[in-house]
Amino acid sequence: MAESHTATTDDHVSPHVTLILVPFRLSDFVLQAGHRANTPFGTTLITGNPGVHESLDDAARRIVGQWVGHEPQYTEQLYTLGTDRIARREVAVSYIALFREDARSGTPDARLHWSPASQLEISDDVHRMVFDYALVRLKAKMGYTNIAYHLLPPLFTLSELQRTYEHVLGHQVDKRNFRRRMTAAGTLVKTHQMRREGSHRPAAMYRFATQDDPAAYLTPSWAAASYATANDDDD
Amino acid sequence: MAESHTATTDDHVSPHVTLILVPFRLSDFVLQAGHRANTPFGTTLITGNPGVHESLDDAARRIVGQWVGHEPQYTEQLYTLGTDRIARREVAVSYIALFREDARSGTPDARLHWSPASQLEISDDVHRMVFDYALVRLKAKMGYTNIAYHLLPPLFTLSELQRTYEHVLGHQVDKRNFRRRMTAAGTLVKTHQMRREGSHRPAAMYRFATQDDPAAYLTPSWAAASYATANDDDD
DNA sequence: TCAAAAGTGTTCCTTCTACACCCATGT
DNA sequence: ACATGGGTGTAGAAGGAACACTTTTGA
């Protein structure tokens, strides 16, 4: 881990390809983003470089995993930029990485900080752009995919799921409509476990039926037809 | 142009960042893809390298523009890959590029060929992957954006628009529903010109009201709310 | 007058939205 | 008994899908 940390910082080296990573997790169903604080450049995102024979996706998982202490539940490439600052045929490939709060920790990097996503202020222009875009994409995907799966623990209540959506989307949703939509989608399975906590009726625990839900992807019905493995991202 | 052609080929140099470009156009309302034929590697896509202080998007437009003979109507970054073949911290950034058939030509590169998109067979694995993904993305975007704008001439009939959709989507759509949907979206403007050709009733010519239609983007209504500049790509 | 494409409405069904009360529990 | 969050149904609106005939022109 120590050896790769030296490869992970971008303070001194000037690599050809940099990865910029935006880790998200829920803490008490509030969305948090992982970042570095108090670097010479202020608050920055996590960066790193792929190894010589490592795919970009693998590198993204490895690097963010080292910082957080365990592998992410889910990663997705966002965008590749070649900015003014990153001239000379150097590019930055950005990734979103989702974590389950509950996951057993390895040894997280002490320099990693978590802040509520809505409050994170990033000084560097490129990093801020990447972060803003990551948040927009996460929100948008909440609407038409099961991406929330990757943020939640294996068992959860519908109220917890709803709170997650509300926090990420930034507004409230109707309880009955939300429950109907979620259960009707067929991707939730009601278990026989109950969560009893507090002086009120216990809640049924649910789990997700699948890891990701191809049917929940976009494509209006009139456009759909010959479909096979249409999606990676989609967006 | 000659000077940049040498920078455009990737046969001899081994750059740090390669762009892979997938040009599309309509020919008689059939979708065609641009490519190189009979290279040492068989049929391949167009590739090139960004200049030292050039953004990736600019480079994509410049390179594909040199091959086709004029600038594309529209480009969009697809995905960045670091494959086995592209090891050693080299990456390939792929772009889709849309052209209007009618556009006045500069001097297209003689090596560029156009083939019906449904029939193009690419030997190289990476190029084939990029092409397949480009086609999937183009189809998906037809469903929920105005991306067809960038393939059509400034004035067109509703039947032509429908033929375009049918060819790209690969299946037929209902004429009345299609027309209602398109006109109801408010993005089409009926002009006073008519196209009279053939022994039948003349067709009204339409144009697009805007270049791209943010309202036509995805995001289910229950998820929407605090929206600003939510889209670049999406999916 | 015929062939060929342009153009046009309605019904049904599904899906979304708005909205308010009872239930099971712990203290 | 009361406070707390869990859980449920319905009516109205909007949007999508299926479906067939009339219109205008050139030959």
Side-chain angles (χ1 to χ4, degrees), chain B residues 72-94:
Chain B
Q73 281 300 123
Y74 175 82
T75 55
E76 181 185 322
Q77 191 186 101
L78 292 181
Y79 206 76
T80 300
L81 4 94
T83 65
D84 284 350
R85 218 193 58 184
I86 310 171
R88 239 339 288 161
R89 283 184 182 166
E90 292 175 9
V91 295
V93 186
S94 58

Side-chain angles (χ1 to χ4, degrees), chain B:
Chain B
M1 184 149 162
E3 57 88 25
S4 41
H5 261 164
T6 60
T8 299
T9 58
D10 66 339
D11 301 338
H12 308 300
V13 296
S14 187
H16 297 130
V17 178
T18 300
L19 301 186
I20 302 184
L21 298 150
V22 188
F24 286 110
R25 71 174 187 191
L26 293 176
S27 181
D28 202 16
F29 303 99
V30 172
L31 189 69
Q32 295 186 326
H35 58 89
R36 294 196 283 165
N38 309 319
T39 72
F41 312 102
T43 296
T44 62
L45 298 175
I46 296 172
T47 57
N49 306 109
V52 170
H53 285 296
E54 188 179 36
S55 79
L56 295 179
D57 291 10
D58 286 349
R61 296 182 66 83
R62 174 182 57 79
I63 293 162
V64 75
Q66 287 166 354
W67 281 84
V68 175
H70 52 91
E71 288 256 307
Q73 281 300 123
Y74 175 82
T75 55
E76 181 185 322
Q77 191 186 101
L78 292 181
Y79 206 76
T80 300
L81 4 94
T83 65
D84 284 350
R85 218 193 58 184
I86 310 171
R88 239 339 288 161
R89 283 184 182 166
E90 292 175 9
V91 295
V93 186
S94 58
Y95 278 82
I96 199 173
L98 305 186
F99 290 84
R100 280 190 180 156
E101 186 184 7
D102 72 329
R104 60 288 156 214
S105 260
T107 315
D109 194 301
R111 291 170 297 171
L112 183 72
H113 294 241
W114 292 95
S115 302
S118 55
Q119 289 162 36
L120 188 53
E121 303 233 324
I122 296 176
S123 30
D124 181 272
D125 287 338
V126 170
H127 284 214
R128 187 174 52 248
M129 224 184 81
V130 168
F131 175 74
D132 290 348
Y133 185 55
L135 195 51
V136 163
R137 280 291 289 267
L138 178 60
K139 286 186 184 185
K141 284 220 160 185
M142 293 283 290
Y144 59 91
T145 71
N146 284 344
I147 202 171
Y149 289 24
H150 304 290
L151 290 168
L152 287 161
L155 289 180
F156 49 86
T157 70
L158 286 184
S159 293
E160 288 169 343
L161 184 61
Q162 182 175 348
R163 257 183 288 162
T164 301
Y165 271 84
E166 290 178 341
H167 275 114
V168 175
L169 295 177
H171 62 91
Q172 291 186 282
V173 303
D174 180 83
K175 180 157 69 160
R176 282 168 291 189
N177 292 339
F178 179 81
R179 292 163 104 93
R180 187 182 313 109
R181 190 165 43 240
M182 289 296 155
T183 53
T187 53
L188 291 182
V189 179
K190 189 178 198 165
T191 69
H192 291 291
Q193 298 181 56
M194 291 275 161
R195 170 166 297 160
R196 49 193 173 351
E197 59 169 18
S199 51
H200 54 83
R201 179 170 175 173
M205 306 285 289
Y206 287 76
R207 61 179 176 81
F208 287 112
T210 63
Q211 276 310 76
D212 65 2
D213 173 14
Y217 278 89
L218 40 134
T219 308
S221 50
W222 63 270
S226 43
Y227 276 73
T229 52
N231 292 293
D232 233 359
D233 140 323
D234 278 325
D235 11 296

Side-chain angles (χ1 to χ4, degrees), chain A residues 107-120:
Chain A
T107 314
D109 192 300
R111 291 171 297 172
L112 182 72
H113 294 240
W114 291 95
S115 302
S118 55
Q119 290 163 35
L120 189 52

Side-chain angles (χ1 to χ4, degrees), chain A:
Chain A
M1 184 150 164
E3 57 87 24
S4 43
H5 261 162
T6 60
T8 300
T9 58
D10 68 339
D11 302 337
H12 309 299
V13 296
S14 189
H16 297 129
V17 178
T18 300
L19 301 185
I20 303 183
L21 299 148
V22 189
F24 285 110
R25 70 173 187 190
L26 293 177
S27 180
D28 202 15
F29 303 99
V30 173
L31 189 68
Q32 295 186 325
H35 58 90
R36 294 196 283 165
N38 308 317
T39 72
F41 310 103
T43 297
T44 62
L45 298 175
I46 297 172
T47 57
N49 306 108
V52 169
H53 285 295
E54 189 179 36
S55 80
L56 296 179
D57 292 9
D58 286 347
R61 297 183 65 83
R62 173 182 59 79
I63 294 161
V64 75
Q66 287 166 354
W67 281 84
V68 174
H70 53 90
E71 289 256 310
Q73 281 300 124
Y74 175 83
T75 55
E76 181 185 323
Q77 192 187 100
L78 292 180
Y79 207 76
T80 301
L81 5 94
T83 65
D84 283 350
R85 217 194 57 185
I86 309 173
R88 248 322 304 160
R89 285 186 181 163
E90 292 174 10
V91 295
V93 185
S94 59
Y95 277 84
I96 198 173
L98 305 187
F99 290 84
R100 280 191 179 155
E101 185 184 11
D102 70 330
R104 62 286 155 214
S105 258
T107 314
D109 192 300
R111 291 171 297 172
L112 182 72
H113 294 240
W114 291 95
S115 302
S118 55
Q119 290 163 35
L120 189 52
E121 305 233 322
I122 296 176
S123 29
D124 180 272
D125 287 338
V126 171
H127 284 214
R128 186 175 52 249
M129 224 185 81
V130 168
F131 174 74
D132 290 348
Y133 185 55
L135 196 51
V136 164
R137 282 289 290 265
L138 179 60
K139 286 185 185 185
K141 285 223 159 186
M142 293 283 292
Y144 60 89
T145 70
N146 284 344
I147 202 171
Y149 290 24
H150 304 290
L151 290 167
L152 285 161
L155 289 179
F156 50 87
T157 70
L158 286 183
S159 293
E160 288 169 343
L161 184 62
Q162 183 175 347
R163 255 182 291 160
T164 301
Y165 271 84
E166 290 178 340
H167 273 113
V168 175
L169 296 176
H171 63 90
Q172 291 185 281
V173 304
D174 180 83
K175 181 159 64 161
R176 281 168 294 188
N177 292 340
F178 179 81
R179 293 162 103 94
R180 186 182 313 110
R181 189 163 45 239
M182 289 295 153
T183 53
T187 52
L188 291 181
V189 178
K190 189 177 199 166
T191 69
H192 290 291
Q193 298 180 54
M194 292 275 160
R195 170 166 296 160
R196 53 205 167 342
E197 59 169 18
S199 51
H200 55 81
R201 180 171 173 172
M205 306 284 290
Y206 288 76
R207 62 181 175 80
F208 287 112
T210 63
Q211 276 310 77
D212 65 2
D213 173 14
Y217 278 87
L218 40 136
T219 309
S221 49
W222 63 272
S226 45
Y227 275 75
T229 51
N231 291 292
D232 238 357
D233 138 333
D234 165 14
D235 207 101

